[in-house]
Amino acid sequence: MFPRVIALLLCLSVSAPLLAEGDAPLRLDSAYSLSDPGGLHPPPTLEIREQHVRVPTVDLTVETNDLWERIRRGFSMPDLNTELVTDRQIYYINRPGALRQIFTRGQRYLYYIVEELERRGMPTELALLPMVESAFNPMALSSAQASGLWQFIPSTGKTYKLEQNWWVDERRDVIASTSAALDYLQTIYEMHGDWHLALASYNWGEGAVGRAVAKNRAAGLPTEYQFLNMPGETRYYVPKLQALKNIVAQPELFGITLPAIPNRPYFATVESRVALDLATAARLAETPVDEILALNPGYKRPVLPANGSQSLVIPASQVETFLLNLSRHDPSSGSWSTYELQDGEGLEGVADRLGISASRLRQVNGLSPRARIGSGYTLIVPSDKDGERITLANLLPTKPQAGAVEPPPVRTLIQHTVVRGKNGKSVVVERKVAVSESAPPAKSKSGHDADDRRATAGDKKATDKKTKGGTTPTRDVKEEKPAAKGAGKAAAEKDKPSKDKASASASSGAAKSTAKSAAPASNKATQGDSRKKH
């Protein structure tokens, strides 16, 4: 009995000062039991621990004022950890000026894109995808005629209801193209059930990705993105996005300072039933013309279409100012007008009478120097007051309005013919052939590959591989010439007479390939390129 009492007093005497000194509550993890029979066991060792350890947490119910933080909170894709990701990180951080320009451009559009992603329940990493696609330049145009932030080619744009005419190109419209891009991404994600495969499909085509997955599965290989056999551009596609995600997640780790972007709308859409041009809209909004152009890149003309109410995107901070000035605006004071050609009038005569140069009038109306127009053709005419403020190069249409006759340009192509030379050797003879672009385009033997909706200008080698595999070529004449020359050189190296017939056949194929490349660019966009990337 006595030993137990002494042990208990010792415990209390040791623990009391500690309890008095510490601010946090303490507890004894191993207390000596008074019920131990006979005191056969020695007093246990005392372990003192803090009971309440504070763990830093993020309250997701509290709205942040920083849009970058909001984007980070919505990251939900699995991370990709490969050497290519490290390679792209090094690439970006070694180009801080270019990275800064991309982030600065994105300030206008990021809030709207994040809002749409959260509304659909999609990962906010996708808000960074236009950095990969277009460097956040809505006027970006690829060699495959892919356009806008999300890089839609004409055919896929039509599939997703993006209007393209003389007045507007909704592939460049921020609101319309974002909606179409997210629709497409949702579709291919539901198809594959994997965001990395969905992104690969956005770049390469869902059919191509599906075939690559099936090939790996049949061979007993992993079917994840990083294990697929794919073109180089697609192989780097997801690593680019992952590298940008890592930089945004921890910019201080990479020595990058992100521009501050408030977590509030950057722009708003207003409707106007008054005929406006973009220069006048900028003046009414008390905003620089360049800013109005950046927010309304879908308009191909400096004048808004006059058919009913028109949407105009302006900075959110200038909405009240715009509406107030619009209520006081005199529609007859616009800086642009229209003029309909009368019988016997020509563009040069109208330009002289209006006091502007014919070349500028053609430029504004998207007419080449050789285009012929007649009576009834409507011209857009800029005034001397505000017309010069418009950056016309960003507003030119890709096609003139109906009624203009564009004479087919003539291109000089190099045709290679293999003939028998001295000593029975094959010799390649080159001659120049004038080919009109009005010739009907040659069709691919296998037709159009609707699955491969996207191709990139940065991956011409991958495009060439697709062409060999049966998809429709998207290369132009300059890219076809080396192929023709290569075919000719290969034929010239065949010095055996028994192979002359095969050499002549190769030369004929090269000539046909050259003739194919003479198809009009517009036909290539709609016929030869069913893909959806630059």
Side-chain angles (χ1 to χ4, degrees), residues 290-416:
D290 290 344
E291 182 71 8
I292 293 297
L293 294 181
L295 293 176
N296 297 272
Y299 288 117
K300 294 163 65 175
R301 293 305 199 189
V303 182
L304 273 62
N307 51 343
S309 177
Q310 296 303 324
S311 296
L312 189 69
V313 179
I314 62 174
S317 60
Q318 299 301 110
V319 170
E320 293 184 6
T321 301
F322 174 81
L323 295 176
L324 179 62
N325 290 335
L326 181 64
S327 64
R328 302 170 180 172
H329 173 63
D330 179 7
S332 62
S333 64
S335 61
W336 297 78
S337 59
T338 57
Y339 182 86
E340 185 175 322
L341 290 180
Q342 305 300 316
D343 291 337
E345 285 186 322
L347 184 142
E348 284 73 14
V350 171
D352 290 340
R353 189 162 63 255
L354 296 175
I356 61 174
S357 67
S359 61
R360 185 180 178 218
L361 192 57
R362 285 182 177 276
Q363 183 188 30
V364 171
N365 287 273
L367 299 170
S368 72
R370 300 176 57 191
R372 300 186 298 272
I373 56 177
S375 60
Y377 189 92
T378 302
L379 293 170
I380 292 178
V381 182
S383 71
D384 294 333
K385 181 179 179 182
D386 292 317
E388 293 295 344
R389 298 172 61 198
I390 297 295
T391 307
L392 295 176
N394 290 340
L395 296 172
L396 292 180
T398 55
K399 296 180 182 178
Q401 61 172 306
V405 179
E406 292 278 351
V410 177
R411 291 187 179 183
T412 302
L413 304 178
I414 304 297
Q415 186 178 40
H416 298 80

Side-chain angles (χ1 to χ4, degrees), residues 79-400:
D79 286 328
L80 182 68
N81 298 309
T82 65
E83 292 181 359
L84 291 184
V85 174
T86 304
D87 176 80
R88 291 301 88 187
Q89 287 175 177
I90 295 172
Y91 175 87
Y92 285 124
I93 63 178
N94 283 339
R95 292 161 177 81
L99 200 59
R100 191 181 307 113
Q101 185 181 36
I102 293 174
F103 288 143
T104 301
R105 281 201 201 116
Q107 292 182 81
R108 297 186 179 100
Y109 317 114
L110 271 171
Y111 180 88
Y112 177 78
I113 296 173
V114 172
E115 280 277 297
E116 287 299 298
L117 288 170
E118 290 183 347
R119 185 177 64 83
R120 295 168 179 248
M122 300 173 71
T124 54
E125 288 98 326
L126 296 175
L128 309 179
L129 193 59
M131 296 183 185
V132 178
E133 288 287 338
S134 61
F136 265 122
N137 179 11
M139 302 302 297
L141 181 67
S142 75
S143 60
Q145 301 304 303
S147 186
L149 292 179
W150 300 93
Q151 291 290 281
F152 280 92
I153 64 167
S155 58
T156 310
K158 291 177 181 177
T159 300
Y160 283 87
K161 306 295 187 293
L162 295 177
E163 190 174 358
Q164 302 161 62
N165 56 43
W166 190 74
W167 289 99
V168 299
D169 186 346
E170 288 189 335
R171 295 178 302 154
R172 300 192 318 218
D173 183 275
V174 176
I175 296 174
S177 67
T178 297
S179 177
L182 299 191
D183 285 345
Y184 183 39
L185 286 165
Q186 281 184 311
T187 299
I188 52 184
Y189 172 71
E190 291 170 2
M191 180 182 299
H192 296 294
D194 181 281
W195 275 115
H196 291 163
L197 295 181
L199 289 168
S201 297
Y202 192 84
N203 177 261
W204 189 19
E206 57 268 34
V209 172
R211 290 190 291 272
V213 170
K215 183 177 179 180
N216 274 27
R217 185 178 292 114
L221 300 174
T223 57
E224 286 79 9
Y225 165 83
Q226 61 267 35
F227 300 107
L228 300 182
N229 184 16
M230 65 188 81
E233 210 287 340
T234 309
R235 185 172 300 282
Y236 274 91
Y237 191 72
V238 176
K240 286 180 182 178
L241 183 64
Q242 181 68 53
L244 290 167
K245 172 185 176 180
N246 293 345
I247 292 172
V248 170
Q250 294 180 295
E252 65 283 351
L253 186 64
F254 299 93
I256 301 293
T257 301
L258 300 178
I261 306 181
N263 186 23
R264 60 174 180 267
Y266 184 91
F267 60 76
T269 303
V270 295
E271 300 290 329
S272 173
R273 295 187 176 276
V274 179
L276 288 176
D277 59 82
L278 294 176
T280 301
R283 188 172 64 252
L284 297 179
E286 299 180 10
T287 302
V289 174
D290 290 344
E291 182 71 8
I292 293 297
L293 294 181
L295 293 176
N296 297 272
Y299 288 117
K300 294 163 65 175
R301 293 305 199 189
V303 182
L304 273 62
N307 51 343
S309 177
Q310 296 303 324
S311 296
L312 189 69
V313 179
I314 62 174
S317 60
Q318 299 301 110
V319 170
E320 293 184 6
T321 301
F322 174 81
L323 295 176
L324 179 62
N325 290 335
L326 181 64
S327 64
R328 302 170 180 172
H329 173 63
D330 179 7
S332 62
S333 64
S335 61
W336 297 78
S337 59
T338 57
Y339 182 86
E340 185 175 322
L341 290 180
Q342 305 300 316
D343 291 337
E345 285 186 322
L347 184 142
E348 284 73 14
V350 171
D352 290 340
R353 189 162 63 255
L354 296 175
I356 61 174
S357 67
S359 61
R360 185 180 178 218
L361 192 57
R362 285 182 177 276
Q363 183 188 30
V364 171
N365 287 273
L367 299 170
S368 72
R370 300 176 57 191
R372 300 186 298 272
I373 56 177
S375 60
Y377 189 92
T378 302
L379 293 170
I380 292 178
V381 182
S383 71
D384 294 333
K385 181 179 179 182
D386 292 317
E388 293 295 344
R389 298 172 61 198
I390 297 295
T391 307
L392 295 176
N394 290 340
L395 296 172
L396 292 180
T398 55
K399 296 180 182 178

